[in-house]
Amino acid sequence: MKHSILIFLIFMFASSAYTQTKISGTVNNKKGVPVFAANVYLKSNPAKGYITDFDGKFVLNIENREDTLVVSFIGFKTRKIALPAIDLNKSIVVVLEKSEQTLDEIVVTAQDPVSEQFSVTKMTMLKDVYLNPVSQGDPLKAISILPASTTINETANPSLRGSSADRTRVVLNGVPIYKPVRASQLNNQGFFSLFNPEIISKQYVYASNPPLTYGNTSAGLVEIQTIKKLEKNQLLLSASLASTGFFLSQKVKKDISFIQVYGNYQFSDAFTSIQKKNLPNLKNFNTTDAGINFRSKISKHIEFNSFNYYISEQFQGVNEQFTYKGDVLSDKKRFFTVNNLVFYFKNALLSVNSEINKSVQHINFGNIYSEQKTTQVYTSVDYKWHIIESTNMQFGLSHDFQQNKFNDSIPLYYYALSPNSPNYFSKSMISNKQLEVYLYTNWDINSKLPFSSGMRSNIPFKNQHYYHSSQLGLKYRLNHKQSILLSTGKYYNYSLPTYYSKVYNLLSSYQVALDYSSEYKNIILNAAIYYKNETGEQALKTFFTSNKISTFGIELYVEQQFLKYFKYSFSNSFINQKMVIEQKHYPGFKNFDYLIKSTIQYNNSSLFSVALSYLTHPGTFYNKVTGSYIENQTSFYKPVFSKNLYTAQYGNYKRLDLSVSKFVPMNKNSMVIFVSLNNILNTKNEKQVQYNADYSIKHFDYHQFRTVYFGVIWRLTYSQGLSSLKEKTRKNI
Amino acid sequence: MMRIFIISLLLVSCIGNTNPKANTHVLSYQTQIKHVKQDTLLANIQSKIYNAFVQSLMSKNDTALLKLSLDLEKLHKTHKQNLISYWRSYLQFYLSIYYLKYGDKKAAEKEIDKGTEWMDALENKNSEDYALLSMLQGFRIQFKRMRAMFIANDMKENAKTALSLDTSNIRAYYVYASNDFHTPAKYGGGKEAEQYLLKAISLPTQKVKNEYLPSWGKEEAYELLVKLYIKKESWELAKKYFQDGIKQFPDSYLLNKLASQLVGK
């Protein structure tokens, strides 16, 4: 009897273990959102599974209580739960976590700026620089196509939304590169920047409200990042009317390290000899520059990047100031090194950045002689922390040391500049230190509403003022093609000393801006409205200073592709700018009723590309000379300026450029032939007012006349490189 | 026969996938408990889209495709699921082929633009999403001469991303290979297709059978591989993979049409 009972109990127990029962529940992601179409099955029988419904719900038959429940979906980690651990009487909730990214992805994502969502423009080299009709292959010149760019003196040094270039900073791999342009006006096409587009992966433009992850800017910011991954080994050879150069990109160790080495020599002989008439102020120039960019993974979680650049320039031209016209000679040597060490953690990134910059420059014009030696040492530590899925935080510390040594001869009388006119010698050394700490957060309130805030303060040295910068940004994505960005903040920076202003002035600004952007099919539409109030003593032309400039601006930009190969862009900016000089208001240098930039391109890679670009704006204001008298001590006429400052205005600026290029593929190599014709209408754009000896007759110095430039670039890919991805998949294969 | 005719139309106009038939056996969902509400529209949606496409071609009328498109749109309004966007975009691909077949290039461009934009706009894209996006971009290039260079670059990047997110996604391998196969040698194409296709045919169409999820890619990979060997005049390999493919997809027009090129080789 006992045995019968025991057998019965055993049978009951055993059968209960294998009796068909059910398990029900819901599959959610980490945010609690149901996962639709997830696979839910038992390990012993994957074919007999269930697929969750829109509410993430499932019900599954269980035949073996000892089995394992498996839940999987694309892009999520598969969850395995032993059935004995589940209370089958209750509905269960299975939470799926996203699959872990590969290290490469983490690296790439983590290195994007924490403030990326709040940049107005993100530029890529191929689309926004090489195919940009106004860039001439220069990454900073490419910015001038944007409506926010208010650079009007044919230079690559960016001026954004009416502010002087000295208030906007250019940052390379997290460190500021001051004066990021070449010293001499090469090719008479304006100053080019120091950056070769081949070393750059991304360029962000913050037209207003620069992120406080960087300091020392009170206008906008251009953030440049060098390439993180080298796709292929290649050699570029270039030759043009005024230059010859090479650029070598080489992997050192597959997926571990690469090096880019380049050098250029620029010369004026051919360029000036074929168009002497149109280059009246250019005698000769020659420039040699060389750069090395090296990147290496030290370990799985540590990377090192080093960019080193040297440039030596000589320039000889003709200049005219007041009543003296004569040769201007300049030379400059500059070297800087930017080094970054980056540590990757699971949810964070620590970077240590440094820069050393040394330069020496000489200028001679009439009785002016200037030698300026500059030393700059910059170090910063940044910690970027991905706190939760919707929130990132970055904080850090930076130290910027600058020293300028001047050894000058200065005219005793500002209007007497001939070599024989009296002058005096002056030696001075000035330096400045900036120690700052910052905190920046980026919070996605929801997928449509990212919010950012930043603050940055200095730790004053000696007699420095304490200042505190702060900012807020709110972006609203109407949909994936349209967004509105509202940003505001208070910012500080120090001016850079020059021959005329040997001082580090503390400048500040208050800004508010509303930016709209949309992209529908082939049409891009951007618009902005902004106001900024800039304070701090800024040197103006002709010995005046302004301590307050207010700017109100409206911008519009439209770009459309049509008829397969054509594209046009049109932008206009209205800028109302007032500056205060000795408590009186005057129109600012960027006070424009219109600033029109227009381009039209035909781009057919199998035939050729041609682009026309047009820029026009009203002339800037200058001080009129109303009379003069002989100054006995110098025997020079001394000008008498109008009491009403800045009432005279230069003529309207107009410039039409044409560029043509032909891409010739040659198996895995290629060649690009290009020709550019600048100022094809040969418009005389007034640059600077000049006078005869007694100031009775005025004439003008002009911006560049019509010039032609052409050249060829060979791109030789001598070994197809493999990205880490390809390697990974190949191994898999 | 009609199926053969219809698929032949596809080949004229596209490089992408044409096969709705997954090489999978049907799951025994009948055994599941019925009280959990299942969606009927999305069940076997890949086949439904293909059938609507065939119906549209046969009748020379886009009604079947448009009706299905409308149904998906309605469903998407109530359920903002990425997966529904995926199938809507996938349908756009067929709609574009349909219009292209009947010479309406404008409509074809418009429809593929829509599909690409929807996929592009998806947040938190997974490997399947990137693979489809890359395929749509590949098809779209023919309409966008001015932007061909950028689209080609995006297409390649998306295929790479699809692979990096799931190194065993057959469609990611197929799309990557297809992009490489169709890139002219003078632009660096044609070097990697073979190994990626060999990998693709070694993978299952789905890891776990799921009637809501995509299962295309294998038949297309076989077809492209055979074409590749024919192009290289590697006749033995072409015949080998033709036979392997036809064993798995005996009714495949994509493969059968290549047979004539292999006869006597």
Side-chain angles (χ1 to χ4, degrees):
Chain A
M1 186 61 192
K2 273 184 183 175
H3 281 281
S4 300
I5 292 168
L6 187 63
I7 289 164
F8 176 72
L9 286 174
I10 290 169
F11 175 73
M12 286 298 288
F13 176 76
S15 65
S16 70
Y18 291 94
T19 300
Q20 194 173 64
T21 181
K22 302 165 201 167
I23 179 170
S24 65
T26 310
V27 180
N28 289 344
N29 66 16
K30 272 184 97 177
K31 287 180 178 171
V33 178
V35 177
F36 167 62
N39 297 304
V40 182
Y41 56 93
L42 295 169
K43 196 177 173 185
S44 63
N45 193 356
K48 233 178 179 179
Y50 204 87
I51 302 166
T52 55
D53 65 8
F54 282 128
D55 300 321
K57 285 185 177 157
F58 69 90
V59 175
L60 196 65
N61 282 339
I62 294 172
E63 290 171 358
N64 178 0
R65 191 69 177 82
E66 301 302 310
D67 214 331
T68 301
L69 181 74
V70 185
V71 182
S72 68
F73 191 62
I74 312 158
F76 290 88
K77 282 184 196 167
T78 298
R79 280 289 303 269
K80 290 176 186 172
I81 308 163
L83 286 182
I86 299 172
D87 180 355
L88 297 182
N89 296 318
K90 292 178 185 170
S91 178
I92 64 164
V93 176
V94 181
V95 178
L96 292 184
E97 278 183 49
K98 278 189 179 175
S99 307
E100 274 183 26
Q101 294 170 305
T102 63
L103 179 65
D104 284 345
E105 285 172 275
I106 294 168
V107 168
V108 171
T109 313
Q111 288 199 343
D112 287 336
V114 68
S115 54
E116 186 182 20
Q117 298 189 86
F118 297 89
S119 72
V120 171
T121 311
K122 181 177 165 183
M123 300 179 115
T124 59
M125 289 306 104
L126 174 63
K127 187 180 165 196
D128 302 305
V129 176
Y130 286 119
L131 291 175
N132 181 323
V134 302
S135 73
Q136 295 171 322
D138 188 306
L140 290 189
K141 275 205 155 186
I143 294 169
S144 62
I145 199 170
L146 304 176
S149 166
T150 46
T151 305
I152 53 168
N153 52 357
E154 302 183 351
T155 165
N157 204 6
S159 155
L160 296 170
R161 291 189 170 163
S163 297
S164 83
D166 194 20
R167 284 178 179 266
T168 290
R169 294 289 173 244
V170 175
V171 165
L172 177 81
N173 285 354
V175 305
I177 306 294
Y178 298 116
K179 296 182 184 169
V181 287
R182 291 158 191 255
S184 50
Q185 204 164 347
L186 299 180
N187 311 342
N188 204 30
Q189 295 182 43
F191 295 86
F192 282 79
S193 78
L194 300 174
F195 307 115
N196 189 312
E198 291 291 320
I199 64 159
I200 298 174
S201 65
K202 289 174 193 163
Q203 180 168 290
Y204 300 88
V205 180
Y206 301 85
S208 295
N209 295 291
L212 288 173
T213 45
Y214 301 109
N216 209 8
T217 163
S218 61
L221 184 88
V222 179
E223 184 177 4
I224 297 172
Q225 291 188 345
T226 55
I227 62 168
K228 308 285 184 295
K229 204 187 262 183
L230 190 65
E231 288 293 331
K232 43 182 122 168
N233 295 333
Q234 62 178 7
L235 175 66
L236 260 72
L237 297 172
S238 62
S240 72
L241 192 57
S243 75
T244 175
F246 77 96
F247 193 107
L248 178 73
S249 297
Q250 173 71 50
K251 289 177 185 181
V252 178
K253 203 171 175 188
K254 224 177 253 180
D255 297 332
I256 301 289
S257 56
F258 66 82
I259 191 164
Q260 294 176 293
V261 182
Y262 62 96
N264 297 286
Y265 175 63
Q266 290 175 309
F267 45 87
S268 58
D269 310 331
F271 180 68
T272 50
S273 62
I274 64 164
Q275 43 203 345
K276 256 185 188 160
K277 208 176 130 190
N278 284 346
L279 298 166
N281 294 334
L282 177 64
K283 287 196 167 174
N284 68 67
F285 60 78
N286 62 72
T287 300
T288 308
D289 75 330
I292 298 175
N293 184 41
F294 173 73
R295 188 174 189 87
S296 180
K297 278 182 191 166
I298 293 171
S299 73
K300 198 179 173 189
H301 298 285
I302 304 174
E303 275 192 311
F304 173 69
N305 197 95
S306 178
F307 176 67
N308 305 276
Y309 183 73
Y310 172 78
I311 184 165
S312 169
E313 305 171 84
Q314 279 94 40
F315 176 81
Q316 186 179 5
V318 178
N319 195 10
E320 192 171 353
Q321 281 191 33
F322 295 100
T323 57
Y324 174 70
K325 185 173 184 177
D327 278 8
V328 58
L329 299 160
S330 75
D331 66 68
K332 185 170 184 177
K333 287 182 171 60
R334 181 175 184 180
F335 170 77
F336 63 82
T337 175
V338 174
N339 297 287
N340 310 88
L341 193 59
V342 184
F343 301 84
Y344 298 95
F345 305 102
K346 195 180 174 192
N347 290 314
L349 178 151
L350 174 72
S351 60
V352 182
N353 316 297
S354 76
E355 178 197 12
I356 297 170
N357 176 51
K358 293 280 278 182
S359 72
V360 56
Q361 180 174 18
H362 300 99
I363 297 172
N364 179 218
F365 172 65
N367 62 349
I368 294 174
Y369 173 80
S370 165
E371 180 186 77
Q372 184 180 357
K373 288 180 179 172
T374 304
T375 303
Q376 184 211 348
V377 180
Y378 182 90
T379 44
S380 68
V381 180
D382 302 302
Y383 188 79
K384 183 176 166 184
W385 181 22
H386 181 62
I387 303 171
I388 51 172
E389 200 162 320
S390 60
T391 309
N392 289 294
M393 179 188 281
Q394 186 172 316
F395 53 88
L397 178 136
S398 68
H399 180 259
D400 193 354
F401 168 77
Q402 291 184 52
Q403 183 188 69
N404 276 279
K405 287 180 184 171
F406 291 95
N407 186 2
D408 299 335
S409 86
I410 300 168
L412 203 55
Y413 305 96
Y414 68 84
Y415 52 87
L417 302 177
S418 70
N420 300 326
S421 298
N423 56 354
Y424 65 96
F425 289 86
S426 158
K427 268 190 179 183
S428 56
M429 187 188 83
I430 52 168
S431 62
N432 193 32
K433 285 181 192 174
Q434 277 176 274
L435 180 61
E436 295 183 337
V437 288
Y438 74 90
L439 173 69
Y440 187 95
T441 53
N442 183 0
W443 172 40
D444 291 343
I445 298 169
N446 58 46
S447 61
K448 289 190 165 185
L449 210 61
F451 168 79
S452 73
S453 68
M455 57 185 88
R456 191 174 186 105
S457 296
N458 74 326
I459 299 166
F461 285 101
K462 291 181 186 171
N463 300 323
Q464 280 182 337
H465 290 286
Y466 169 76
Y467 55 81
H468 176 77
S469 305
S470 55
Q471 69 182 168
L472 293 172
L474 186 67
K475 192 168 191 171
Y476 177 59
R477 294 193 187 97
L478 284 78
N479 50 49
H480 69 282
K481 296 288 182 189
Q482 281 188 92
S483 67
I484 297 171
L485 169 63
L486 174 66
S487 51
T488 183
K490 173 99 179 169
Y491 307 90
Y492 290 88
N493 80 303
Y494 279 102
S495 65
L496 296 177
T498 63
Y499 173 83
Y500 296 103
S501 173
K502 295 182 176 75
V503 64
Y504 292 96
N505 280 324
L506 184 62
L507 310 175
S508 71
S509 74
Y510 166 74
Q511 303 185 26
V512 58
L514 188 67
D515 288 271
Y516 166 81
S517 70
S518 75
E519 187 177 349
Y520 273 108
K521 293 182 181 168
N522 294 331
I523 303 175
I524 294 172
L525 179 70
N526 296 332
I529 181 164
Y530 61 90
Y531 173 78
K532 59 171 103 174
N533 195 359
E534 298 175 332
T535 52
E537 202 166 279
Q538 270 186 275
L540 306 172
K541 290 170 189 170
T542 50
F543 31 76
F544 291 104
T545 57
S546 170
N547 54 16
K548 190 177 175 187
I549 297 175
S550 61
T551 310
F552 168 76
I554 300 173
E555 293 166 1
L556 180 73
Y557 176 84
V558 61
E559 179 188 304
Q560 185 177 15
Q561 288 172 4
F562 61 102
L563 296 176
K564 285 184 185 170
Y565 297 110
F566 288 90
K567 183 168 101 173
Y568 78 83
S569 73
F570 174 84
S571 84
N572 191 13
S573 300
F574 163 81
I575 303 170
N576 183 295
Q577 188 174 66
K578 297 271 179 271
M579 58 184 179
V580 177
I581 300 170
E582 291 168 358
Q583 297 176 337
K584 284 187 177 173
H585 288 81
Y586 300 95
F589 289 116
K590 308 281 173 68
N591 185 61
F592 297 136
D593 287 343
Y594 61 90
L595 174 58
I596 293 173
K597 299 165 189 176
S598 188
T599 65
I600 183 156
Q601 291 180 72
Y602 170 81
N603 186 10
N604 183 345
S605 55
S606 54
L607 288 176
F608 59 88
S609 299
V610 58
L612 267 175
S613 57
Y614 182 66
L615 168 66
T616 181
H617 58 79
T620 54
F621 291 87
Y622 65 93
N623 284 328
K624 212 166 27 179
V625 173
T626 53
S628 66
Y629 60 90
I630 285 266
E631 181 73 64
N632 291 334
Q633 288 166 305
T634 61
S635 307
F636 269 84
Y637 281 90
K638 182 176 180 180
V640 177
F641 288 95
S642 163
K643 282 183 182 171
N644 295 320
L645 300 179
Y646 297 101
T647 51
Q649 192 175 10
Y650 293 115
N652 294 348
Y653 181 97
K654 294 169 195 164
R655 175 168 157 160
L656 181 68
D657 293 345
L658 172 75
S659 61
V660 183
S661 64
K662 166 79 181 156
F663 175 74
V664 187
M666 299 182 296
N667 198 0
K668 56 187 178 180
N669 303 322
S670 63
M671 182 168 75
V672 176
I673 304 160
F674 63 90
V675 180
S676 63
L677 204 54
N678 301 299
N679 191 4
I680 51 180
L681 301 177
N682 212 18
T683 310
K684 288 184 167 183
N685 290 310
E686 293 165 2
K687 184 181 176 185
Q688 179 72 45
V689 64
Q690 312 287 359
Y691 298 92
N692 65 341
D694 64 357
Y695 294 88
S696 59
I697 302 169
K698 75 174 177 185
H699 60 281
F700 293 94
D701 179 20
Y702 297 101
H703 284 289
Q704 78 163 212
F705 295 117
R706 179 170 51 225
T707 54
V708 65
Y709 195 74
F710 53 83
V712 61
I713 300 168
W714 290 272
R715 194 179 282 266
L716 310 167
T717 305
Y718 55 91
S719 144
Q720 180 68 41
L722 294 172
S723 68
S724 59
L725 164 70
K726 284 179 188 167
E727 274 304 292
K728 194 170 70 180
T729 47
R730 192 154 288 172
K731 277 174 201 159
N732 216 358
I733 288 166
Chain B
M1 192 60 202
M2 182 52 73
R3 179 180 163 87
I4 289 173
F5 164 71
I6 288 158
I7 299 176
S8 71
L9 300 178
L10 273 176
L11 297 169
V12 178
S13 53
C14 76
I15 60 166
N17 81 92
T18 54
N19 177 36
K21 183 184 168 189
N23 185 28
T24 61
H25 62 275
V26 178
L27 293 179
S28 53
Y29 290 109
Q30 297 85 339
T31 60
Q32 301 303 320
I33 295 161
K34 302 292 180 194
H35 70 257
V36 172
K37 187 186 159 198
Q38 284 287 358
D39 169 72
T40 49
L41 177 62
L42 289 182
N44 291 315
I45 183 67
Q46 185 176 305
S47 301
K48 285 176 185 170
I49 291 171
Y50 182 75
N51 292 339
F53 171 66
V54 170
Q55 206 181 325
S56 291
L57 283 178
M58 282 169 65
S59 59
K60 295 185 178 177
N61 187 321
D62 56 8
T63 310
L65 274 169
L66 291 179
K67 187 188 172 304
L68 190 54
S69 173
L70 200 66
D71 290 345
L72 283 169
E73 189 186 346
K74 275 183 198 163
L75 188 65
H76 192 234
K77 274 182 185 158
T78 52
H79 298 89
K80 295 284 179 198
Q81 296 282 348
N82 277 11
L83 192 57
I84 303 173
S85 298
Y86 180 97
W87 290 118
R88 288 184 75 200
S89 300
Y90 185 78
L91 188 147
Q92 292 303 119
F93 176 67
Y94 281 94
L95 205 50
S96 182
I97 296 167
Y98 170 84
Y99 288 127
L100 199 61
K101 159 64 193 153
Y102 289 111
D104 190 346
K105 272 195 167 186
K106 269 198 168 178
E109 183 181 357
K110 192 178 146 197
E111 298 306 333
I112 199 70
D113 278 355
K114 270 191 210 169
T116 315
E117 279 170 24
W118 293 340
M119 284 311 294
D120 203 20
L122 282 190
E123 287 181 3
N124 300 318
K125 285 194 265 293
N126 60 39
S127 175
E128 293 292 357
D129 298 329
Y130 279 110
L132 178 61
L133 176 59
S134 180
M135 189 181 76
L136 298 180
Q137 286 168 328
F139 187 69
R140 193 177 180 227
I141 276 183
Q142 62 188 301
F143 304 108
K144 311 281 178 189
R145 300 284 166 80
M146 175 87 181
R147 296 167 71 186
M149 205 188 297
F150 307 126
I151 297 173
N153 195 42
D154 290 348
M155 176 180 82
K156 199 174 172 186
E157 286 304 313
N158 288 326
K160 277 183 187 177
T161 310
L163 278 169
S164 70
L165 290 174
D166 183 357
T167 50
S168 57
N169 181 354
I170 179 174
R171 284 160 289 281
Y173 282 92
Y174 166 68
V175 169
Y176 190 97
S178 177
N179 292 339
D180 183 67
F181 181 82
H182 290 96
T183 302
K186 66 179 179 179
Y187 295 113
K191 294 184 182 70
E192 296 169 309
E194 183 182 0
Q195 55 187 324
Y196 280 74
L197 288 169
L198 287 170
K199 178 66 183 178
I201 60 168
S202 74
L203 292 167
T205 53
Q206 291 186 335
K207 282 170 226 164
V208 178
K209 310 305 172 201
N210 188 323
E211 61 183 349
Y212 292 171
L213 299 181
S215 56
W216 52 270
K218 197 160 204 164
E219 184 186 349
E220 294 86 340
Y222 269 112
E223 184 242 358
L224 203 58
L225 191 59
V226 176
K227 275 169 91 173
L228 186 143
Y229 287 132
I230 291 174
K231 195 174 164 187
K232 287 167 81 172
E233 298 187 353
S234 302
W235 301 111
E236 288 310 310
L237 285 170
K239 283 191 272 186
K240 176 184 182 307
Y241 286 103
F242 173 80
Q243 280 157 3
D244 282 1
I246 214 76
K247 211 178 278 176
Q248 294 186 49
F249 304 96
D251 298 329
S252 169
Y253 173 74
L254 293 175
L255 288 165
N256 277 312
K257 76 175 174 67
L258 299 173
S260 61
Q261 296 179 59
L262 298 173
V263 175
K265 298 292 180 185

